[in-house]
Amino acid sequence: MKTLWIKAAVLSTVFASTAFYAQESVVLPNMNSNNKDAINTFEAPKDNSASFDGMKMKWGAAFTAQYQDIKHENDVNYTTNPTTAKLYPLKSGLQVPMANLYMDVQLADGIRLNVTSYMSSRHHNEFYVKGGYLQIDKLPFLKSDLVDRIMEKVTIKAGQFENNYGDTHFRRTDGGQALYNPFIENYIVDAFATEVGAEVYYRPAKNWVTMVGVTSGSIKGHVTTPATDADSGDATRSLSVYGKVAYDTKLDNDLRLRFSASGYHNPHNGGSGLTMYWGDRTGSNYQLVMETVGADVKTQAWSGRINPSFGGKQTSGMFNAFAEYKGLEFFGTYEIAKGRQLWETKDRDMSQFAADLIYRFGPSRNFFVGGRYNVVNLDSQFGTATAQKSTRSKNRQICSI
């Protein structure tokens, strides 16, 4: 197997994430906020004592603008490999800003609606709906004591939404929303997709969350004849099944620990392909990083990331650990996956490891410094590849009111 080593060294990056927000005048229970208060939050809470005092609507927005000054390099010897495309000659400059729009509605007691849209992004410059879903914590209209007791520990989520596979999607940059990611860009393999389906949450005890979900496996819907699998000969369009178990606790006022394990499986998708690792429609925040000469900012919108190309079949697992002590944070990720495209006959393997260390300080912890290490090993369609990314971050949140 040919081994290709790629290094992306972020030598100097200046990033201004400007988020304008005030204290929320409308607070909807059992939903995460869209502002700074949602930093280091994961699944939406469940408070059965939350009162209902009529339908309420809340609007929110997120805006981010970046200045990029990045150096990139690889280990290709262009003297012995003169036909290999050279990396794009990066220069410093401003990127096109991105913006999101949020609409949250409390429809009835225990029933809430969310619709999120991308107003502008690198890949889709036009207004584009990310997705929407219903979140059901109560079913009072059924007037059943048994159902009420079940719903004390159960939450149902249905629509087209961000799949809750792993914990990394809670800390990633999503279009104009960059408050939750200290490092500007996401992991090399970015597990994120918005698929049609449903998730059922069960909280068996304090600090525990379990979830099982079923989705279409793709960000697009299909009613056409599925493509045929080259290995099995099947022409089917299977649903994706995934799940999570998480434990999140505070040992005292200063120390918080969280551990989670997630799994995802789709045996065959004959539509446009599985999109768990290629479902971001906004684009990367590292423009043209690791791209070659002639690349286009919009067409090559996911610069710095790797797509494992598991479009026909995928089985994966992610394990996350989060620790927070006063202003010091650690977030770790270990992920393994196996899959292939429809036209391949053998599965390929992928593994990813990442570790983030952040220290937040200041009166409201608006300032922070941090470091990240991220490495991916992949049996690609063209040989074995290893990608590494190390990032040093010095960021400041602006206009925190």
Side-chain angles (χ1 to χ4, degrees), residues 9 15 21 27 40 61 66 146 202 209 248 260 268 306 310 314-315 317 321 327 378:
F15 177 78
Y21 58 85
V27 178
N40 292 334
Q66 306 100 305
L146 176 60
Y202 176 66
V209 177
D248 194 329
S260 71
H268 180 273
I306 290 179
F310 294 159
Q314 179 184 330
T315 300
L378 170 66

Side-chain angles (χ1 to χ4, degrees), residues 154-175:
V154 172
T155 298
I156 302 170
K157 188 175 180 179
Q160 178 160 6
F161 52 84
E162 188 174 316
N163 298 28
N164 189 10
Y165 164 72
D167 283 352
T168 58
H169 70 101
F170 292 111
R171 298 172 60 87
R172 66 187 299 280
T173 298
D174 182 27

Side-chain angles (χ1 to χ4, degrees), residues 30-31 44 103-116 131-139 141 151 155-162 195 197-201:
N30 297 334
M31 296 191 81
M103 183 185 74
D104 297 304
V105 186
Q106 181 172 276
L107 296 173
D109 188 12
I111 301 177
R112 293 160 189 88
L113 169 74
N114 167 270
V115 177
T116 300
Y133 61 86
L134 277 176
Q135 179 180 305
I136 303 172
D137 287 288
K138 297 180 182 179
L139 292 169
F141 53 86
M151 295 304 294
T155 298
I156 302 170
K157 188 175 180 179
Q160 178 160 6
F161 52 84
E162 188 174 316
E195 301 171 356
E199 294 175 347
V200 178
Y201 294 79

Side-chain angles (χ1 to χ4, degrees), residues 11 20 53 56 60 70 88 126 235 288 290 334 353 358 366:
L11 301 181
F20 295 95
D53 54 358
K56 293 181 179 179
I70 294 178
Y88 195 97
E126 74 279 15
L288 299 178
M290 304 313 299
Y334 178 66
F353 172 78
I358 304 105
N366 282 352

Side-chain angles (χ1 to χ4, degrees), residues 8 68 70 72 90 122 286-291 303-305:
Q68 177 174 302
I70 294 178
H72 61 173
L90 290 176
R122 175 179 172 184
Y286 288 164
Q287 292 203 6
L288 299 178
V289 171
M290 304 313 299
E291 303 290 359
S303 307
R305 301 180 192 171

Side-chain angles (χ1 to χ4, degrees), residues 324-338:
E324 182 180 23
Y325 180 71
K326 296 184 177 180
L328 185 65
E329 300 170 11
F330 169 81
F331 182 74
T333 298
Y334 178 66
E335 185 174 17
I336 52 175
K338 181 184 291 289

Side-chain angles (χ1 to χ4, degrees), residues 88-101:
Y88 195 97
L90 290 176
K91 304 296 181 182
S92 59
L94 291 165
Q95 299 184 19
V96 176
M98 295 190 280
N100 297 4
L101 181 66

